[in-house]
Amino acid sequence: GDSNYIGEPVSIIEHSLQAAHFTQQKSSTNDSELIIGNLLHDIGHALGLEAHQKMEMNGCGVKDHEHVGADFLMKLGFPERV
């Protein structure tokens, strides 16, 4: 999670933190589910990398990462909206 993310000079962790930060800054309400959802929006990529899955999407990440991440978060008890 600490290598460059999709050719950008930030890691996947930094990208996720930025997404949550900007959501918090720009949101007209303090919507914790929205902020947490943005923080964790690419967790499926991280899970795939940890499981040594092949990088797909032109080397940008794990295919179906959104479903992998959603399944993982649901098993942990996160609300569907996150």
Side-chain angles (χ1 to χ4, degrees), residues 56-71:
E56 298 180 306
M57 302 172 53
N58 294 324
C60 295
V62 177
K63 185 176 179 183
D64 296 326
H65 72 281
E66 64 276 15
H67 301 292
V68 172
D71 291 345

Side-chain angles (χ1 to χ4, degrees), residues 42-55 62 65 68:
D42 275 342
I43 196 165
H45 285 309
L47 293 168
L49 293 172
E50 185 176 292
H52 304 289
Q53 288 183 347
K54 183 177 122 182
M55 291 292 283
V62 177
H65 72 281
V68 172

Side-chain angles (χ1 to χ4, degrees):
D2 60 358
S3 60
N4 284 357
Y5 182 66
I6 310 179
E8 298 293 326
V10 296
S11 68
I12 191 171
I13 294 168
E14 291 167 323
H15 166 74
S16 296
L17 289 170
Q18 287 173 347
H21 173 76
F22 291 128
T23 300
Q24 183 179 32
Q25 296 297 310
K26 299 295 181 184
S27 178
S28 59
T29 64
N30 192 13
D31 187 339
S32 60
E33 287 183 353
L34 182 63
I35 296 166
I36 292 168
N38 277 283
L39 175 67
L40 300 175
H41 77 277
D42 275 342
I43 196 165
H45 285 309
L47 293 168
L49 293 172
E50 185 176 292
H52 304 289
Q53 288 183 347
K54 183 177 122 182
M55 291 292 283
E56 298 180 306
M57 302 172 53
N58 294 324
C60 295
V62 177
K63 185 176 179 183
D64 296 326
H65 72 281
E66 64 276 15
H67 301 292
V68 172
D71 291 345
F72 175 75
L73 293 174
M74 293 293 285
K75 287 177 185 174
L76 291 177
F78 281 85
E80 185 175 352
R81 184 166 178 253
V82 169

